[in-house]
Amino acid sequence: MDNARIADRLEAFASMLDLSDANPHSVRAYRRAAETVRGAGMPVADLVRSGRARELRGIGRGIEGKLRELVETGEIAELAELERELAPDLIGLGRYLGLGAKRSLELARALDARTAQEFREAAAAGRLRTVAGIGPKTEAQLLEALSREPEPRARRGLLLNRARELVGAIAAALDGEAAGDVRRWRDSCEWLVVVCAATDPRPVIGAFAAQPQIVALIEEGESGAVGVTVEGTPIELVVAPPQRFGTALVRATGSPAYVEALEPLPEAPDEEGVFRALDLPWCPPELREEAFRGEPPELVTLEEIRGDLHCHTTWSDGRASVEEMGRAASERGYEYLAICDHTPAVGVVTGLSADDLRRQAEEIAAANEVLAPFRILRGIECDILPDGGLDLPDDALAELDWVQASVHRGQRTPRRELTKRVEAALRNPHVRCLSHPKGRYINRRAENALDLERVFEVALEEGVALEVNGLPDRLDLSGEHVREALGAGVEIVCSTDSHSVRGLQNMELAVATARRGWATAERVLNTRPLEAILNHR
Ligand SMILES: [Zn+2]
Ligand SMILES: [Zn+2]
């Protein structure tokens, strides 16, 4: 989340507090905080993550809490609630027109418009100019902006980890199966479904409606229902008689194109039965995206992963020490873990210099003595500088076991320039893997313009792997890009980029994303033993 976005949300919060007649001091405090964030020279999200937000002027404990919520969840719940109460579509339209929330509501009130649509109609009828303070020039600007207003945007999906938690909890409570986008491990989940088996659907629907996550049923039928969560996310419940449960599960899992290609679906109590009756091998849900009736490959599994090659510690912006991370990785059954803290150019958080890295090496050596035969590797997440150079001297990189190269700033650089920059970094003989290649944040920042085809060529020439980053808001490479990379002959690495012990769990998201890209274990570097990692080139 960039500073501008954080500042916008703080500003919106101030306006909402103002509108709801909150204490003027807090309104001013949030406005000032928004200004501070907007002017900050470093990414505030990273400061927040490392618990240092209060180093910024005017950020006290209360605002820090809201910042943390915003950075961690992507939203301030109280703000979202206020916006819903206070004419959200008007405020949304106002935001699009560049008006603050308060000004939008004032204007709407003056136009006697209660919805965005009424606002548009009033504007189209030429009534804007009747509002005090709106001159012909402002009116023309607003009308012009309205004429360019895009189609209302599709509702955004939930991040995979949150969707899995939500749907998984309901499925567990109802003794059913999580299906839909969650079961296919889509990076952004819109179709949330739980499938249950029961002869009488009514008690299941009753139990579904009574789930704490479901605030209301918006549809109720003979064999299912649709409920909504407090955030307005719809969740579907499908209840099938036990003898047809498998059929219902296949139908509630695959994309429409996939399911259509299998129709007519035979009736069976489980999925295996459905596929058997179709005379097809069972298909992993991750591959049920497009029409497919063939023999699926042996996809890589979580159990085949032997180590994690990208994580952070308290040396940069992680929350756990080298030894804590190593111990946790060892307890997961891994053989190795590469510590890849940041370098100084990342800007926000502490980055390690060559000297720091040598001091860190001592800590790693000590932890390795304790944890042997488990092995902590000396790694780095080295920033790629604007000129394609790396943020550490070659002799420092040469000492390391594992070097990730990353673009953190300049994701909006034009295609040619960005591609040249990354290409130059991949040519450095010490670089082993390109981190989060497309630089996206799901639902927040689009993919960068990097020419992947070119990157695949260079990666292949240089023996560099591409990362499948398992952070739930990154999942980068995406499944589609994994498939392209593998098609080009490039190897991938499934990593968590974890900043805490808990973050190591995200390996399942990285592996699922690789599976969506049809990856088999042979193509995933970190399914190999330690020697293969160390003697890669
Ligand atoms: Zn990174
Ligand atoms: Zn990282």
Side-chain angles (χ1 to χ4, degrees), residues 2 88 142 207 222 262 265 470 525:
D2 62 14
L142 289 175
E222 293 288 288
L262 299 186
L265 284 184
L525 187 59

Side-chain angles (χ1 to χ4, degrees), residues 104-176:
S104 309
L105 290 183
E106 276 169 9
L107 261 183
R109 217 168 283 143
L111 291 169
D112 198 22
R114 283 173 313 266
T115 64
Q117 193 46 37
E118 287 178 8
F119 186 101
R120 289 185 197 100
E121 284 163 16
R127 284 173 46 215
L128 274 174
R129 78 191 69 139
T130 65
V131 178
I134 302 248
K137 203 168 141 210
T138 312
E139 183 191 15
Q141 278 167 1
L142 289 175
L143 287 175
E144 207 269 328
L146 280 171
S147 73
R148 283 185 288 107
E149 192 186 7
E151 291 288 299
R153 257 198 308 167
R155 252 180 28 81
R156 294 193 293 185
L158 288 186
L159 292 184
L160 180 55
N161 59 335
R162 293 176 69 191
R164 284 181 54 75
E165 223 176 86
L166 177 63
V167 179
I170 296 176
L174 301 181
D175 199 17

Side-chain angles (χ1 to χ4, degrees), residues 171-382:
L174 301 181
D175 199 17
E177 290 270 356
D181 290 355
V182 163
R183 189 156 179 246
R184 301 210 306 284
W185 298 81
R186 285 181 68 87
D187 45 23
S188 170
C189 297
E190 283 165 39
W191 185 35
L192 308 179
V193 197
V194 173
V195 186
C196 295
T199 355
D200 180 5
R202 279 167 306 176
V204 187
I205 295 176
F208 175 62
Q211 290 306 304
Q213 303 91 338
I214 301 292
V215 293
L217 292 190
I218 50 175
E219 267 178 58
E220 199 177 335
E222 293 288 288
S223 58
V226 179
V228 282
T229 66
V230 67
E231 293 90 8
T233 307
I235 302 181
E236 204 179 318
L237 170 72
V238 175
V239 189
Q243 69 275 16
R244 287 205 295 274
F245 176 75
T247 317
L249 186 57
V250 170
R251 195 162 273 136
T253 298
S255 71
Y258 176 82
V259 174
E260 182 161 356
L262 299 186
E263 296 281 11
L265 284 184
E267 289 187 3
D270 53 29
E271 277 201 335
E272 286 74 11
V274 176
F275 283 95
R276 218 178 306 120
L278 287 168
D279 199 21
L280 291 175
W282 180 83
C283 180
E286 293 93 332
L287 301 187
R288 301 189 203 173
E289 210 57 59
E290 51 189 65
F292 176 64
R293 297 184 60 111
E295 176 83 38
E298 280 286 325
L299 299 179
V300 59
T301 62
L302 187 57
E303 294 68 39
E304 288 171 304
I305 298 292
R306 294 189 191 228
D308 196 332
L309 291 169
H310 184 173
C311 78
H312 297 264
T313 69
T314 45
W315 281 81
S316 64
D317 55 348
R319 283 196 289 269
S321 69
V322 166
E323 191 183 322
E324 285 163 345
M325 291 302 284
R327 188 178 302 281
S330 160
E331 281 165 3
R332 288 181 60 89
Y334 291 158
E335 294 165 26
Y336 48 85
L337 171 76
I339 302 290
C340 296
D341 280 308
H342 287 290
T343 57
V346 73
V348 244
V349 296
T350 332
L352 277 64
S353 66
D355 281 347
D356 296 329
L357 263 176
R358 283 170 195 134
R359 285 191 294 121
Q360 190 187 50
E362 293 166 23
E363 195 173 322
I364 290 177
N368 272 331
E369 275 188 29
V370 181
L371 298 173
F374 180 83
R375 175 75 179 273
I376 300 176
L377 302 178
R378 291 186 62 200
I380 192 76
E381 178 174 17
C382 189

Side-chain angles (χ1 to χ4, degrees), residues 11-34:
E11 183 100 26
F13 194 45
S15 304
M16 288 293 130
L17 290 176
D18 200 355
L19 287 167
S20 55
D21 296 318
N23 178 341
H25 290 294
S26 16
V27 175
R28 273 202 299 277
Y30 276 97
R31 264 206 186 108
R32 265 201 312 270

Side-chain angles (χ1 to χ4, degrees), residues 410-464:
Q411 294 289 357
R412 294 205 181 84
T413 310
R415 185 175 176 91
R416 272 182 59 149
E417 201 182 314
L418 182 61
T419 306
K420 264 179 64 184
R421 180 179 168 196
V422 168
E423 178 175 343
L426 300 190
R427 297 284 184 208
N428 181 300
H430 305 296
V431 170
R432 301 285 302 279
C433 182
L434 176 65
S435 321
H436 41 71
K438 290 300 276 180
R440 69 165 176 176
Y441 280 115
I442 297 168
N443 290 344
R444 287 186 284 138
R445 184 167 78 196
E447 292 185 339
N448 62 31
L450 188 65
D451 177 353
L452 278 183
E453 256 176 65
R454 180 67 192 141
V455 167
F456 296 157
E457 281 171 27
V458 179
L460 205 53
E461 283 170 28
E462 300 292 333
V464 173

